[in-house]
Amino acid sequence: YLNHQDIVELFDAFVNYNERLASVNDSEPRDELIESKEEQELLDAYYKLFPNEDEVDIELIAELILNICMVSESSTLSIKGTILIFLPGYDEIVSLREFILKDARFKRIKLTLFTLHSQMQSNEQWKVFEPASPGVRKIILSTNLTETTITIDDVVYVIDSGKVKEKAYDKLLGVSLLKSSWISKASAMQRRGRAGRCQNGVCFHLFSKARFSALSKFQVPEILRMPIHELCLQTKLLAPKDMTIVHFLSKALDAPPASTIRDSIELLKVC
């Protein structure tokens, strides 16, 4: 150990995380991932009120925030705990922010709202790390920017919408789109890990057990869901002269099919 106890603890946490992730990704059905009859009835009733799974239920998130604020006052968790909310994109962040500011129920709660997304200036992003004033609830509306890259020490509650916006290619239209889709199981674990990194915490995933079971283990890499014409051109410049583009790209960690690479090369020749 060489007296580096902090490194040992970090390593143990990493091993435990991988063991939990492996158990979650296990393909065998597990009882805890199956809804009970009562839970299924509640889900059916909810889907009648909000049938569109492609959208984020802003009102549900607002109700959950109010519930957290009321329950935490009488619980062992600190009332000062920050609420981190994962939303798919900027539009959902703005919609939830406006909903909170207009809802009269939130006027009885001392809170400060922060937004965190890639379009923000870096000096604005740093404000989310500042602690809230005594008695003030800090709420952060974020994209997946905070999923792995940064840690906010005072986060106690995480609300995971289960959605992310990612680039995808529509073959029929021939254009690249930014669309909302379900996250992977690995991303759900990462988001859960944002809660209580420095103290006890709670994570609320806004999807059912059946939905979680249907999630892919990992997100599909961008190289496999986007056209690679530009990548082929860059490869032509970077690859050794005696190596083909197909052979060079086949060495990637998530290599695209050789047929896809050849189609892109042929399209570039035609252009």
Side-chain angles (χ1 to χ4, degrees):
Y1 290 175
L2 302 177
N3 296 322
H4 293 292
Q5 186 61 31
D6 53 342
I7 296 178
V8 174
E9 292 175 356
L10 179 64
F11 178 75
D12 288 341
F14 175 75
V15 172
N16 291 334
Y17 169 80
N18 281 341
E19 290 176 350
R20 293 198 308 271
L21 184 61
S23 66
V24 167
N25 289 332
D26 191 356
S27 58
E28 295 298 324
R30 299 189 300 170
D31 292 340
E32 58 265 34
L33 293 181
I34 301 175
E35 272 87 16
S36 64
K37 183 178 180 180
E38 182 181 357
E39 289 172 337
Q40 189 59 52
E41 289 175 353
L42 289 172
L43 278 173
D44 293 340
Y46 172 73
Y47 288 138
K48 289 180 180 179
L49 296 173
F50 196 84
N52 192 352
E53 283 195 335
D54 294 332
E55 296 181 0
V56 175
D57 191 346
I58 298 298
E59 293 187 19
L60 175 62
I61 296 177
E63 291 292 339
L64 183 52
I65 295 172
L66 288 169
N67 182 267
I68 290 172
C69 293
M70 290 186 293
V71 172
S72 62
E73 292 182 3
S74 57
S75 71
T76 56
L77 291 175
S78 172
I79 189 174
K80 300 177 183 178
T82 294
I83 303 174
L84 173 61
I85 305 170
F86 283 101
L87 296 164
Y90 178 75
D91 292 340
E92 290 80 9
I93 287 176
V94 172
S95 297
L96 180 56
R97 186 176 185 276
E98 291 180 349
F99 188 93
I100 291 174
L101 293 176
K102 291 179 180 179
D103 195 322
R105 294 173 297 175
F106 285 96
K107 297 186 184 301
R108 300 193 297 267
I109 303 172
K110 293 182 179 180
L111 57 84
T112 177
L113 282 172
F114 293 93
T115 59
L116 195 57
H117 50 86
S118 59
Q119 300 177 25
M120 292 177 59
Q121 297 293 330
S122 57
N123 59 335
E124 291 292 324
Q125 293 180 0
W126 280 106
K127 291 182 179 179
V128 301
F129 296 99
E130 299 176 359
S133 302
V136 177
R137 175 79 64 178
K138 185 166 76 171
I139 301 175
I140 302 172
L141 314 180
S142 175
T143 59
N144 61 338
L145 188 67
T146 55
E147 188 175 299
T148 56
T149 53
I150 62 176
T151 296
I152 302 172
D153 295 340
D154 57 356
V155 170
V156 172
Y157 302 95
V158 166
I159 300 176
D160 175 18
S161 67
K163 295 296 185 66
V164 65
K165 280 191 177 178
E166 57 184 11
K167 291 181 180 179
Y169 183 70
D170 191 319
K171 293 183 178 180
L172 294 177
L173 298 177
V175 295
S176 299
L177 303 172
L178 188 64
K179 65 176 185 179
S180 179
S181 60
W182 289 103
I183 60 174
S184 64
K185 291 179 180 176
S187 292
M189 292 287 288
Q190 284 285 357
R191 294 184 177 190
R192 187 180 75 174
R194 299 298 100 185
R197 293 185 69 84
C198 301
Q199 55 189 306
N200 292 332
V202 180
C203 180
F204 300 90
H205 297 288
L206 303 187
F207 44 83
S208 66
K209 296 175 184 177
R211 168 59 64 185
F212 179 77
S213 298
L215 295 177
S216 59
K217 293 181 179 180
F218 302 96
Q219 296 294 114
V220 178
E222 189 170 331
I223 194 174
L224 299 180
R225 52 182 164 80
M226 291 294 294
I228 56 174
H229 314 323
E230 184 177 350
L231 181 60
C232 288
L233 288 175
Q234 293 176 343
T235 301
K236 186 67 176 176
L237 295 174
L238 298 174
K241 293 182 179 180
D242 58 343
M243 183 178 293
T244 65
I245 296 176
V246 175
H247 182 55
F248 186 85
L249 291 180
S250 67
K251 297 180 178 296
L253 291 176
D254 295 289
S259 58
T260 301
I261 302 174
R262 294 191 185 96
D263 290 343
S264 295
I265 294 172
E266 290 300 319
L267 181 60
L268 289 170
K269 289 180 179 179
V270 172
C271 295

